[in-house]
Amino acid sequence: MSTTTTTPVSRMTSLARAELTLLGRSKGTLVAALFVPLVLPLSVRSAAEEMDLAEVGLTPGAVVLPAAVGFSLLFAVYSALVGVYVVRREELVLKRLRTGELRDAEILGGSALPSVLTGLAQCLVLITACAVLLDMSAPSAPHLAVLGLLSGLVMCAALAAVTASFTRTAESAQVTPMPLLMISMIGSGMFVPLELLPDQVASVCELLPLTPVVTLVRGGWTGDLSAYESLGALATAVAWTLLAVFAVRRRFRWEPRH
Amino acid sequence: MEANEHEHVIEVTGLRRVYGGGFEAVRGIDFSVRRGEVFALLGTNGAGKTSTVELLEGLAAPAGGRVRVLGHDPYTERAAVRPRTGVMLQEGGFPSELTVAETARMWAGCVSGARPEREVLALVGLEAKAGVRVKQLSGGQRRRLDLALALLGDPEVLFLDEPTTGLDAEGRRDTWELVGALRDAGTTVLLTTHYLEEAEHLADRLAIMHEGSIAATGTPAEVTASEPSRITFELPEGYFLGDLPPLAELGVSDHTVDGRTVRLRTRELQRAATGLLMWAHGAGVELRRLDVRSASLEEAFLGIAKDASAGTTAPKEYAA
């Protein structure tokens, strides 16, 4: 008789595998997650050509590449995952998973894995495409770019769980991610680098969740981020992630409201 | 396995559950389930059965009182309890776009000591549906898939929340047989149902819940025995109630007359029936539509529900 005992890794793998199958069967999510982040960087590129980038020491590539990473995190990870969490809750899947050996964090983590890996793969494709098409040099501080990307993936998954906490239905899951999408696109240096904004506005925008990700990825290529600035950005990303985890522990809803 | 016959696998004391809006769904209940026993929580919709079972499953923390499953708190000591329990929720909980086989494989990966998926699907008669998406299953097939998943880990304790709701007569019979076989194999089963015959058929002991409290507990026979038996017949043409032998002498506690139909209630069924039939024989009359029956669980259930809503009874304890 088999007496295999499950481990957190084996349980999450099993759940992630099922979620990957579901992701492949969810056409709407796939289109939004895979297509949008491929198209949006093109509009950033045409916008970048209008800007006076040279004055602040930036190239179009240094604007488009971090923006592409940001779009991927926002669409392929954050908003796709809000939908996954909400639909699984409405289907009572989360409740059923909680009757078993999976811990709460494993349920959220395992469900997030396919979206996170999709986002990661998409970022790598986009980064390669940007580097080749925009004729960019090799990154001067690749560790910062890696750090930015990884912290962004974790933070977006955690923020998706927060958004799902106050999203009641699959329909409203189309709307509730909008505020963060908008704020990030406008204020996190994706369309317009913070360097081109008035100082006071820029210092507020630095505190937005996606800004440190964009900053670190851009700094990874340009190499003009000081250690102090890098740590500051990293601290902001970690703070948002911890805040999200705290909110999820307190507020996440595992069952539909009656 | 070495098992102490009298070990209490589930112990519930003073258990309360209060929902966000202040509604008290479970109002201080006590019961215990011994190893290898099938225990039924019986009650109408809204009696608090599911609210209670969810506390036993460890899905929520109680507002008051204590739950122990296999000696542990199922909410705070999740890791100690979950590998040894199987749960069938009242409804669904499966992604609609996965097939039956994919659902079972996903769950098997989350269960320690899982049996082969095909084996449990065959156990509930779903092996032919392995490639079908969950959204295309009938309500009854979904219930059976849920049961299959609950059985994947060969649990010591099985929680079944309305396991046969939505099943046809044959499916219900199959589920009953399966639960019977599990009991024979030593599994402890706690089930909820609003089907009285289900509780009567399956349960070693049961508790009748009403408005968040337990109104009666005991074996089905003990709970039933507390209710009087009934004799019903039509008075023969030309006879009146007064022509019968004195009812008190027959052991009849209560009677009603509706047109020519007489209903007697008695706790001494044999004495009352014999007296009545001897009288009819002696008078040379036929008692049309004669119906003599012991109390059923249904009458006990309705009687308890009526008493409880009138607020007249403390919990009845029939347990030996």
Side-chain angles (χ1 to χ4, degrees):
Chain A
M1 192 177 150
S2 93
T3 47
T4 48
T5 305
T6 62
T7 62
V9 171
S10 71
R11 296 192 288 258
M12 284 171 70
T13 308
S14 187
L15 180 55
R17 181 180 173 183
E19 277 297 339
L20 187 63
T21 309
L22 288 164
L23 180 64
R25 286 176 191 163
S26 170
K27 302 285 176 290
T29 311
L30 271 186
V31 169
L34 297 183
F35 190 62
V36 175
L38 296 182
V39 175
L40 278 176
L42 298 176
S43 59
V44 174
R45 192 194 166 182
S46 49
E49 281 163 358
E50 312 266 306
M51 293 176 211
D52 206 356
L53 291 175
E55 195 179 304
V56 290
L58 288 171
T59 61
V63 176
V64 177
L65 187 143
V69 168
F71 290 131
S72 186
L73 292 176
L74 286 175
F75 287 91
V77 182
Y78 171 69
S79 38
L81 254 184
V82 173
V84 167
Y85 286 141
V86 171
V87 169
R88 298 295 169 266
R89 179 178 62 212
E90 297 306 302
E91 288 175 329
L92 296 168
V93 173
L94 298 184
K95 180 176 182 178
R96 148 127 317 262
L97 291 173
R98 288 186 93 220
T99 67
E101 294 170 41
L102 288 152
R103 291 155 196 273
D104 291 353
E106 293 168 18
I107 294 174
L108 296 179
S111 305
L113 216 50
S115 302
V116 169
L117 293 180
T118 307
L120 176 62
Q122 195 177 42
C123 284
L124 296 179
V125 169
L126 285 168
I127 287 171
T128 313
C130 285
V132 172
L133 296 177
L134 299 175
D135 204 17
M136 297 173 72
S137 53
S140 354
H143 62 284
L144 290 183
V146 171
L147 222 51
L149 179 54
L150 294 182
S151 64
L153 287 167
V154 175
M155 180 178 64
C156 283
L159 289 174
V162 176
T163 306
S165 313
F166 57 81
T167 306
R168 285 189 182 215
T169 63
E171 286 75 40
S172 48
Q174 313 279 333
V175 181
T176 51
M178 291 307 236
L180 184 65
L181 295 187
M182 293 302 176
I183 289 173
S184 301
M185 287 196 251
I186 297 167
S188 286
M190 291 172 64
F191 272 102
V192 185
L194 297 189
E195 286 85 342
L196 296 180
L197 297 175
D199 281 354
Q200 281 171 324
V201 179
S203 58
V204 173
C205 286
E206 272 171 16
L207 298 176
L208 294 175
L210 231 63
T211 310
V213 177
V214 172
T215 306
L216 286 168
V217 173
R218 180 175 294 146
W221 251 266
T222 60
D224 54 12
L225 217 53
S226 71
Y228 175 76
E229 286 167 319
S230 313
L231 282 177
L234 196 60
T236 309
V238 170
W240 275 106
T241 307
L242 290 179
L243 197 65
V245 169
F246 177 75
V248 168
R249 291 178 72 121
R250 303 269 319 234
R251 295 266 171 229
F252 192 79
R253 303 190 67 89
W254 297 93
E255 288 180 48
R257 285 170 216 246
H258 298 294
Chain B
M1 197 194 308
E2 207 175 320
N4 180 353
E5 285 261 329
H6 301 290
E7 180 194 347
H8 284 156
V9 168
I10 302 173
E11 285 179 284
V12 172
T13 38
L15 190 64
R16 290 174 59 242
R17 182 164 189 189
V18 181
Y19 286 103
F23 173 67
E24 193 176 8
V26 180
R27 306 179 177 185
I29 61 171
D30 306 87
F31 65 87
S32 54
V33 181
R34 287 187 279 264
R35 183 174 288 282
E37 205 170 42
V38 176
F39 189 91
L41 280 178
L42 186 61
T44 50
N45 291 332
K49 305 186 297 290
T50 297
S51 296
T52 303
V53 176
E54 286 182 358
L55 296 177
L56 304 187
E57 292 162 354
L59 285 175
R66 209 176 92 121
V67 184
R68 287 291 177 273
V69 174
L70 295 160
H72 298 279
D73 182 325
Y75 186 73
T76 59
E77 300 173 275
R78 207 158 137 176
V81 180
R82 297 303 173 81
R84 302 168 68 187
T85 59
V87 171
M88 179 177 177
L89 291 175
Q90 196 176 77
E91 43 175 335
F94 311 116
S96 51
E97 296 293 343
L98 285 184
T99 66
V100 167
E102 288 164 347
T103 307
R105 188 168 57 202
M106 184 266 279
W107 195 246
C110 300
V111 169
S112 292
R115 304 159 68 170
E117 297 109 77
R118 216 173 302 160
E119 194 180 302
V120 289
L121 290 180
L123 211 55
V124 299
L126 277 183
E127 68 271 50
K129 299 283 175 191
V132 175
R133 301 244 174 122
V134 166
K135 66 176 176 187
Q136 284 154 347
L137 295 179
S138 71
Q141 288 166 340
R142 264 178 234 188
R143 294 311 284 147
R144 286 190 275 149
L145 175 59
D146 208 337
L147 181 58
L149 298 200
L151 296 175
L152 252 174
D154 261 331
E156 285 172 58
V157 183
L158 190 57
F159 296 102
L160 306 174
D161 199 353
E162 300 198 358
T164 62
T165 300
L167 294 191
D168 56 21
E170 196 192 339
R172 182 166 303 162
R173 213 27 91 167
D174 291 344
T175 301
W176 288 5
E177 267 175 35
L178 195 52
V179 172
L182 289 167
R183 176 186 40 203
D184 294 344
T187 310
T188 307
V189 182
L190 186 136
L191 65 95
T192 75
T193 182
H194 52 247
Y195 297 120
L196 297 145
E197 74 273 24
E198 185 159 296
E200 202 154 28
H201 187 90
L202 286 179
D204 297 311
R205 288 192 308 126
L206 56 87
I208 297 180
M209 284 196 78
H210 186 76
E211 291 179 351
S213 302
I214 288 181
T217 56
T219 66
E222 286 163 348
V223 172
T224 307
S226 67
E227 289 293 308
S229 308
R230 284 186 325 186
I231 304 174
T232 312
F233 59 93
E234 243 172 49
L235 267 178
E237 208 54 45
Y239 284 86
F240 299 93
L241 197 63
D243 297 324
L244 298 176
L247 292 177
E249 277 177 26
L250 296 180
V252 171
S253 55
D254 185 15
H255 72 271
T256 56
V257 183
D258 178 13
R260 301 210 63 78
T261 305
V262 179
R263 287 195 188 82
L264 308 178
R265 282 152 67 86
T266 175
R267 290 181 189 280
E268 298 166 88
L269 184 57
Q270 186 179 339
R271 181 175 153 205
T274 307
L276 185 68
L277 291 174
M278 295 279 283
W279 170 82
H281 183 72
V285 296
E286 189 192 351
L287 298 177
R288 288 172 189 276
R289 298 185 179 226
L290 176 65
D291 181 26
V292 178
R293 61 173 64 195
S294 307
S296 69
L297 195 57
E298 181 175 5
E299 282 150 76
F301 179 66
L302 294 174
I304 284 162
K306 204 170 72 187
D307 287 353
S309 30
T312 52
T313 49
K316 297 182 184 175
E317 183 76 51
Y318 304 114

